[in-house]
Amino acid sequence: MGGEDGSLRTWLLKGLQTDRKQIEHGPHQKHSWWRVMCLTGVDYFSTLGYQPGIAALAAGVLSPVATLLLVLLTLFGALPVYRRVAQESPNGQGSIAMLEKLAPQWWGKLFVLALLGFAATDFVITMTLSAADATAHILENPFVPDFLDGRRVLVTLFLLALLAGVFLLGFSEAIGIAVVLVFVYLSLNAVVVATALVHVAQTPNLVVDWTQALRVDYSSPFAMIGLSLLVMPKLALGMSGFETGVAVMPIVKGDQPQRIKGTQRLLTVAALIMSVFLIFSSFATTVLIPHREFEEGGKASGRALAYLAHDFLGDWFGTLYDVSTIAILWFAGASAMAGLINLVPRYLPRYGMAPDWTRAVRPLVLVFAVIAFAITIIFDADVEAQGGAYATGVLVLMLSAAVAVTLSAIRKGQRAATAGFGLISAVLAYTLVDNVIERPDGVKIASFFIIAIIVTSLISRATRSTELRVSEVHFDPLAEQFINDACAEIHLIANEPHQRDQAEYTDKRREQWLNHRLRSEEPIMFVEVTVVDASDFETELYVRGEERHGHRILRFESPTVPNSLAALLLELRRRSGQAPHIYFHWTEGNPVTAMLRYLLFGGGDVPPLTREVLRQAEPDVTRRPHVHVG
């Protein structure tokens, strides 16, 4: 059994990334930009399965006009924003990393956790909503057996399990499947849309009737544009995929400039392809399909192009189109899963707010699969019920990206870019607010994700607080000299620096003589730690030597005092071959308060915490550095 457990653990943790630079660089195997576009495209392009129907329900005969405005916002708003995001965050952190720098210390971490909550909402709901919509296409097909009627939750769970299975096999397999699905799906959509447009051309009275309806219902083109702007937030799902396109940047082939260029190319090509399909499909479905068929229970509800495929090209071609739509909707969650797999290891483990195993792909896949199962059951695999949360997640991430690039343009003094990105931010802010007012469920779901991420992250941070948390220790030449002169007998006096004058060091040395009876001939060095950002978790120590008032001092900066002192002692033991000694005095105060100070501010009751970090890092008592407290 032990061997089996070991094999399972090895399989689950295969590809575990522990080096931060390796995480930023991404997987070893890279892919051409167009292949990565297909991975993000299974999410973006799959919205053709339901977007024309959503537009028709929201805007009626104005659907083509509203869709055209959405396309303009995509091409002249979202696309320029994300091309700049790709340029300024080439390792795939996206707008979250750009905004992280604006808020210092714990506020910055909490801000990032909130944005990750919205990202999780976007990506997880992408998986569950797309799988639920694929289920709707399955159950609407005339050839599907009757025993599946009323089993939409079960079918959706099966599709999600299948998706997780693909990622458990490997990332390259997922991209290979995405390429095939996108090529087939776009080809079939081109056939359906072209056939529909030919039918419209052959029946000109349909266009006459549509334009007449516009003239009757709306007094002027300005009224049409104004009302289209009001309903446009409901069409926001047609802009999904941009954040994912940036999140998967690390798997684009090439060095950093090539990766940036490749990502910008994939974003542009995907947006152009989608824009063409959205405009023509919206026009064709609005003109050719009676409005009652778009409503719930109608034959075109959530499947407008599938309706045209069956109607104009027959049930066999329609079924082929259904299978293609089902496949790409099922696999739309792949881009979301890829986004989560790339985002989570870049933030939570670095903050100490997730276990180390979250740097491995397979455990993350299992965790997100379980969450997707729970959401599917809670929402009864209902596409409409999840639409608000999906749109909220998409719009929050887009707005954060627009704000990030606006601030970037301000810092660089680019006035034209500032004005342009500021306008885009305003439009996206309006769209988000309108969507939240119309469908508040999205904020509720996102709030659940945010609270869950913050609570679990803080619990993880507390449980991991006594880990070593130092990846490397570096010494400058003077510090190296001090260590070499000590001749393996290293005695350190921990000093909290204040005035750093002669009296401070003399008093500290006298105190340690009284407490520990240190002999004057023993080589003594002071060690001083300055806490810079206690919210950071992992760090490298850069130890500087300093001679002051005749005393030798080792100084460095760190997020936490006890962990960095423990790391220094272990490194000194490694260099000298003997366990070093460190001397403290007891601190006054409540130990519970001291522990909270340690968790939040990196200080607290340093002596026992230093000893506890050493105890966990070095189980062998005979080799463990000595901690003296008096």
Side-chain angles (χ1 to χ4, degrees):
M1 180 63 72
E4 291 178 4
D5 289 346
S7 298
L8 177 61
R9 179 181 175 82
T10 301
W11 179 78
L12 282 173
L13 296 182
K14 183 179 180 182
L16 179 67
Q17 299 176 345
T18 55
D19 181 8
R20 186 183 299 180
K21 292 178 181 176
Q22 180 189 1
I23 293 171
E24 290 178 352
H25 190 258
H28 293 295
Q29 188 171 358
K30 309 292 184 181
H31 302 270
S32 302
W33 69 267
W34 62 269
R35 290 173 64 86
V36 180
M37 183 191 74
C38 291
L39 180 62
T40 62
V42 289
D43 171 22
Y44 192 24
F45 299 143
S46 69
T47 56
L48 286 170
Y50 47 83
Q51 180 70 16
I54 291 174
L57 279 176
V61 292
L62 271 179
S63 172
V65 180
T67 300
L68 179 61
L69 293 177
L70 179 74
V71 166
L72 293 176
L73 179 59
T74 299
L75 295 179
F76 299 101
L79 180 58
V81 164
Y82 276 96
R83 283 177 62 91
R84 178 138 181 173
V85 170
Q87 183 177 347
E88 300 203 12
S89 61
N91 292 321
Q93 301 98 320
S95 57
I96 296 177
M98 296 173 66
L99 292 171
E100 179 186 15
K101 301 171 185 176
L102 301 178
Q105 302 193 5
W106 282 108
W107 291 112
K109 304 296 187 292
L110 293 174
F111 181 62
V112 168
L113 292 178
L115 286 179
L116 285 176
F118 283 108
T121 303
D122 178 10
F123 293 155
V124 173
I125 298 295
T126 295
M127 291 190 281
T128 58
L129 183 145
S130 299
D133 200 40
T135 298
H137 280 75
I138 291 172
L139 300 182
E140 286 291 332
N141 189 274
F143 297 113
V144 170
D146 293 337
F147 74 86
L148 288 178
D149 286 347
R151 307 281 185 183
R152 69 181 184 185
V153 172
L154 192 62
V155 174
T156 304
L157 291 176
F158 172 76
L159 293 176
L160 289 170
L162 203 59
L163 177 67
V166 171
F167 273 85
L168 290 175
L169 289 175
F171 212 84
S172 295
E173 286 77 1
I175 289 185
I177 293 172
V179 171
V180 174
L181 289 179
V182 166
F183 178 78
V184 172
Y185 182 68
L186 291 181
S187 299
L188 292 176
N189 269 284
V191 172
V192 173
V193 172
T195 302
L197 292 175
V198 168
H199 191 79
V200 170
Q202 293 173 344
T203 319
N205 62 296
L206 293 173
V207 179
V208 173
D209 292 342
W210 173 64
T211 53
Q212 182 64 28
L214 285 175
R215 282 195 294 268
V216 170
D217 293 343
Y218 305 101
S219 58
S220 70
F222 295 105
M224 296 179 194
I225 293 172
L227 289 170
S228 296
L229 287 172
L230 291 176
V231 301
M232 194 178 65
K234 297 180 181 179
L235 280 61
L237 297 183
M239 293 194 296
S240 65
F242 281 98
E243 190 74 26
T244 316
V246 173
V248 297
M249 276 186 75
I251 63 176
V252 176
K253 187 181 293 185
D255 57 18
Q256 190 175 97
Q258 291 171 325
R259 186 163 67 241
I260 293 171
K261 189 175 180 180
T263 303
Q264 291 177 333
R265 188 180 292 123
L266 80 84
L267 291 171
T268 303
V269 172
L272 289 172
I273 291 172
M274 190 63 176
S275 297
V276 170
F277 273 109
L278 282 176
I279 291 171
F280 287 119
S281 64
S282 175
F283 173 71
T285 53
T286 301
V287 171
L288 293 171
I289 301 176
H291 186 74
R292 64 179 181 277
E293 298 292 355
F294 291 111
E295 297 172 356
E296 188 173 352
K299 294 180 181 179
S301 177
R303 53 189 299 274
L305 290 176
Y307 175 94
L308 295 180
H310 282 273
D311 200 29
F312 294 145
L313 296 165
D315 282 340
W316 284 106
F317 183 91
T319 299
L320 178 62
Y321 181 84
D322 283 340
V323 170
S324 172
T325 305
I326 291 163
I328 199 167
L329 282 169
W330 158 67
F331 210 63
S335 62
M337 185 74 84
L340 286 166
I341 288 169
N342 276 287
L343 271 181
V344 169
R346 296 171 186 277
Y347 292 100
L348 297 186
R350 176 161 59 91
Y351 293 171
M353 293 178 170
D356 273 338
W357 55 257
T358 55
R359 290 183 168 115
V361 170
R362 285 175 175 139
L364 281 179
V365 170
L366 293 175
V367 169
F368 294 132
V370 169
I371 295 172
F373 285 179
I375 289 175
T376 297
I377 294 169
I378 291 170
F379 285 94
D380 196 32
D382 189 332
V383 175
E384 182 62 29
Q386 299 173 71
Y390 186 31
T392 300
V394 170
L395 289 171
V396 167
L397 293 178
M398 284 196 164
L399 178 59
S400 70
V403 170
V405 297
T406 302
L407 295 174
S408 172
I410 291 173
R411 285 196 302 270
K412 294 178 180 179
Q414 300 168 335
R415 294 185 179 180
T418 299
F421 290 133
L423 179 61
I424 295 168
S425 300
V427 173
L428 289 171
Y430 153 72
T431 308
L432 173 62
V433 170
D434 185 85
N435 181 78
V436 169
I437 294 172
E438 180 80 16
R439 295 182 286 186
D441 286 348
V443 173
K444 295 176 185 176
I445 298 171
S447 300
F448 166 78
F449 274 104
I450 292 169
I451 292 170
I453 286 175
I454 290 176
V455 170
T456 56
S457 295
L458 293 179
I459 291 173
S460 175
R461 177 68 181 248
T463 57
R464 298 186 63 194
S465 61
T466 52
E467 291 181 10
L468 202 55
R469 295 166 56 175
V470 173
S471 55
E472 272 188 89
V473 182
H474 309 276
F475 297 92
D476 73 359
L478 189 55
E480 292 272 10
Q481 180 186 327
F482 290 168
I483 295 166
N484 293 333
D485 291 347
C487 300
E489 269 296 314
I490 298 177
H491 297 265
L492 300 177
I493 296 176
N495 180 50
E496 184 177 356
H498 295 289
Q499 298 300 320
R500 304 191 75 232
D501 55 13
Q502 176 69 52
E504 178 177 329
Y505 294 107
T506 302
D507 291 344
K508 192 72 177 179
R509 185 154 187 167
R510 183 185 301 113
E511 175 189 72
Q512 298 309 319
W513 184 89
L514 292 171
N515 289 336
H516 305 292
R517 294 298 188 266
L518 284 174
R519 298 185 302 274
S520 59
E521 66 270 15
E522 288 177 321
I524 296 295
M525 287 185 287
F526 288 92
V527 59
E528 298 177 348
V529 186
T530 303
V531 176
V532 281
D533 183 356
S535 66
D536 283 343
F537 190 75
E538 294 181 347
T539 188
E540 293 185 21
L541 296 186
Y542 294 90
V543 183
R544 305 185 306 277
E546 183 178 341
E547 198 148 9
R548 193 176 182 88
H549 308 298
H551 303 285
R552 292 186 166 188
I553 306 167
L554 299 179
R555 302 191 67 202
F556 54 88
E557 296 178 341
S558 173
T560 170
V561 177
N563 308 68
S564 58
L565 288 175
L568 174 66
L569 291 169
L570 290 171
E571 178 63 19
L572 292 175
R573 184 200 65 184
R574 187 188 70 80
R575 285 170 171 258
S576 66
Q578 292 188 28
H581 299 256
I582 189 166
Y583 300 89
F584 298 95
H585 70 269
W586 284 113
T587 53
E588 300 293 331
N590 188 302
V592 175
T593 305
M595 176 57 75
L596 291 175
R597 283 174 50 220
Y598 167 61
L599 293 174
L600 294 175
F601 306 114
D605 199 358
V606 175
L609 288 167
T610 303
R611 198 261 178 191
E612 177 59 20
V613 175
L614 285 169
R615 187 187 69 82
Q616 292 189 22
E618 177 52 81
D620 188 349
V621 179
T622 61
R623 301 187 69 245
R624 189 182 300 157
H626 304 288
V627 177
H628 305 271
V629 191

